[in-house]
Amino acid sequence: MSQTLQAIRGMNDILPNEAERWEAFEETVRDWLFAYGYRPIRMPIVEPTPLFARAIGAVTDIVEKEMYSFTDSLNGEQLTLRPEGTASCVRAVLQHNLLYDGPKRLWYMGPMFRHERPQKGRYRQFHQVGVEALGLSGPDIDAEQILMCARLWDDLGLEGIRLEINSLGQPEERAKHRADLIAYLEKHIDRLDEDGKRRLHTNPLRILDTKNPALQEIVEAAPKLIGYLGEASLAHFEGVQRLLKDAGIPYRINPRLVRGLDYYNLTVFEWVTDQLGAQGTVCAGGRYDGLIAQLGGKPAPACGFAMGIERLMALIEAQGELPEPPAPDVYVVHQGEVAERLAFRAAEALRDIGCAVLTHMGGGSFKSQMKRADASGAQLALIVGDDEAQNDEVSVKPLRIEAEQRRVSLERLAEVVSDWLYGADEELNED
Ligand code: ATP
Ligand code: MG
């Protein structure tokens, strides 16, 4: 026997019980985004490779080693499965000139692909909700994006997600800091790990973000970017903090929060939980004023964030009360050819009034069909035998409470079932 095929490592199936929880999550997310004036946008999952190299930065983890890139065998084009959504979103905004009549608030949701080492909370296909505000430069939108996250945690019933913020200043300020940082790290080069040595002259800011405990001491004493910020950058950062304080949202300034992508400036933030082990960041974002121009657009400020849906779902599973899988309202059992045709008509008549109806298929005795009806969790069984069907009648049998089964004409079925399911149910036993 040949072995059954398996999904690619780090790429998960989301089975029905879980998929239903995802749908509930997505519904909450849609309502939440609507409340802040964000509109949906959907981009392709595959993009030209140069988009990401240009947007994310050539010396980032993503572009250096995490992208699923391939050559289109038909035309030789270099393509990449999107590792994140911001680059695609900005590409789409520029391609369709969406900023022509003012700022835009946009969001998207879907799979992203990164070739990382799979582990709990870190997958090769994972999903993000991405939120981008384009064309707005003030600290007000940064703050609104942060505080809207707090509302979502609340809407989802989640607790214990901490906020960390930092400011990366502007490119000139970063350049000064970078020079001092490199000089400092060069003095300690023998104590850097391999990643650190490699990044020293390409992306030294990322060394500050290291998870290697052996480097903590060096990193702790390194020159801090915040000390290099000019007046305007500091004012922006203070503006964000003022609005967070007004909203009563606690936060911690983490001077080592630098984010993995090159395109950020000024505000950066992360929402972190201690309940998911090492993969505790559930949401991350910040300002990226340079990206639009970097991708060839007329310069415009922007800020955004992305949430990892798998990590949030894990948190919901750890903290929340998990809903029962939904049951149909009605399960239809039937036997005989005439009965089958009436069963189909009866089921459609009930769907006309909004019922969820599961029609038995695959035959079997009434007894075995009734077992299925019971196991389905339905409130009511509809029983159709040829005898009933000859008279255009069906029997309605309550499955969850003690009550008599009742025979009704097809015309009256919808009325009787809706009384039963949606109220006035005492009438069912009236005659
Ligand atoms: P990390 O430091 O955990 O690698 P990152 O900085 O690469 O994160 P972003 O690119 O900012 O992450 O993505 C935003 C969010 O998407 C993360 O905070 C996380 O919740 C989620 N995420 C990122 N990579 C993965 C992954 N491989 N698997 C699952 N979720 C992920
Ligand atoms: Mg990463």
Side-chain angles (χ1 to χ4, degrees):
M1 222 172 60
S2 65
Q3 229 186 339
T4 52
L5 292 170
Q6 304 282 309
I8 296 167
R9 207 162 95 81
M11 304 204 180
N12 302 313
D13 299 308
I14 301 164
L15 302 181
N17 281 343
E18 208 185 334
E20 274 158 3
R21 292 203 285 276
W22 280 56
E23 287 188 347
F25 167 84
E26 287 162 11
E27 212 169 299
T28 304
V29 163
R30 283 199 180 88
D31 290 347
W32 162 71
L33 287 159
F34 182 75
Y36 286 88
Y38 283 81
R39 298 183 66 201
I41 182 166
R42 300 184 185 212
M43 300 82 66
I45 285 172
V46 184
E47 294 273 5
T49 304
L51 171 65
F52 301 113
R54 232 166 111 182
I56 300 172
V59 292
T60 55
D61 280 355
I62 292 183
V63 174
E64 270 183 346
K65 54 187 187 196
E66 294 177 358
M67 293 208 304
Y68 280 93
S69 297
F70 55 98
T71 308
D72 183 329
S73 61
L74 297 178
N75 63 9
E77 216 179 325
Q78 288 301 310
L79 305 178
T80 294
L81 298 182
R82 63 181 187 195
E84 55 105 49
T86 303
S88 306
C89 182
V90 169
R91 195 251 330 120
V93 163
L94 296 180
Q95 184 173 336
H96 304 284
N97 195 23
L98 293 190
L99 294 181
Y100 80 100
D101 63 347
K104 287 284 171 297
R105 287 173 164 88
L106 301 172
W107 74 275
Y108 48 83
M109 170 156 61
M112 307 293 162
F113 301 84
R114 296 184 194 177
H115 199 279
E116 311 197 59
R117 191 169 68 78
Q119 51 197 291
K120 183 171 174 278
R122 193 175 289 289
Y123 309 103
R124 289 179 174 172
Q125 174 176 318
F126 62 100
H127 297 74
Q128 287 183 336
V129 176
V131 177
E132 320 285 358
L134 305 125
L136 297 166
S137 61
D140 45 0
I141 186 73
D142 308 29
E144 189 186 74
Q145 287 195 335
I146 295 172
L147 67 86
M148 74 190 272
C149 293
R151 179 178 295 278
L152 180 64
W153 314 148
D154 219 45
D155 291 351
L156 293 169
L158 294 175
E159 285 174 356
I161 309 181
R162 292 181 279 107
L163 172 62
E164 301 201 339
I165 63 172
N166 192 20
S167 176
L168 299 183
Q170 298 294 8
E172 321 79 70
E173 294 156 357
R174 243 148 80 178
K176 270 210 204 103
H177 169 256
R178 184 189 148 105
D180 287 359
L181 180 62
I182 291 176
Y184 165 83
L185 291 170
E186 271 173 341
K187 278 193 287 179
H188 301 280
I189 190 151
D190 44 317
R191 289 168 66 193
L192 291 183
D193 59 8
E194 211 175 295
D195 252 1
K197 285 184 183 129
R198 191 168 49 84
R199 284 172 171 155
L200 180 53
H201 292 279
T202 54
N203 198 350
L205 207 54
R206 280 287 282 172
I207 301 177
L208 301 183
D209 198 20
T210 181
K211 283 166 186 128
N212 184 350
L215 293 184
Q216 297 311 310
E217 205 187 317
I218 297 175
V219 152
E220 211 59 67
K224 292 197 172 36
L225 182 49
I226 194 113
Y228 293 75
L229 300 194
E231 224 171 280
S233 294
L234 286 172
H236 188 102
F237 197 32
E238 270 149 28
V240 173
Q241 294 181 58
R242 192 161 49 239
L243 288 168
L244 291 181
K245 282 185 190 132
D246 282 354
I249 296 179
Y251 61 87
R252 184 176 86 91
I253 296 177
N254 176 358
R256 287 167 51 189
L257 186 64
V258 296
R259 310 286 313 110
L261 317 182
D262 262 1
Y263 51 56
Y264 288 105
N265 69 314
L266 293 174
T267 318
V268 287
F269 64 91
E270 287 193 356
W271 289 91
V272 190
T273 171
D274 298 324
Q275 292 169 58
L276 295 177
Q279 266 53 252
T281 306
V282 293
C283 175
R287 184 160 278 286
Y288 53 92
D289 292 335
L291 183 61
I292 292 176
Q294 200 173 308
L295 290 180
K298 193 166 132 233
C303 63
F305 60 91
M307 305 181 264
I309 302 184
E310 280 81 358
R311 294 185 192 177
L312 282 169
M313 294 312 295
L315 206 53
I316 289 170
E317 274 160 47
Q319 291 188 4
E321 202 148 299
L322 299 185
E324 289 290 309
D329 298 313
V330 179
Y331 193 101
V332 183
V333 307
H334 57 90
Q335 203 168 50
E337 197 184 311
V338 186
E340 181 188 62
R341 293 168 68 186
L342 187 66
F344 262 65
R345 284 167 61 204
E348 287 303 319
L350 292 181
R351 294 188 187 108
D352 283 344
I353 60 160
C355 292
V357 184
L358 219 158
T359 301
H360 184 85
M361 298 201 181
S365 68
F366 270 124
K367 192 169 164 216
S368 69
Q369 292 192 36
M370 284 306 289
K371 267 196 193 149
R372 291 284 183 87
D374 205 46
S376 76
Q379 293 295 322
L380 301 174
L382 218 65
I383 304 166
V384 196
D386 269 344
D387 163 50
E388 282 130 325
Q390 303 291 357
N391 301 306
D392 259 3
E393 288 180 345
V394 301
S395 294
V396 183
K397 182 179 164 61
L399 295 173
R400 305 292 146 207
I401 57 160
E402 282 303 321
E404 283 300 302
Q405 167 172 330
R406 179 174 161 194
R407 198 157 153 163
V408 297
S409 66
L410 188 59
E411 281 111 71
R412 287 206 57 214
L413 175 65
E415 182 194 331
V416 169
V417 165
S418 84
D419 278 355
W420 182 263
L421 290 175
Y422 311 125
D425 37 26
E426 61 280 3
E427 279 172 32
L428 198 73
N429 294 317
E430 189 179 83
D431 42 15

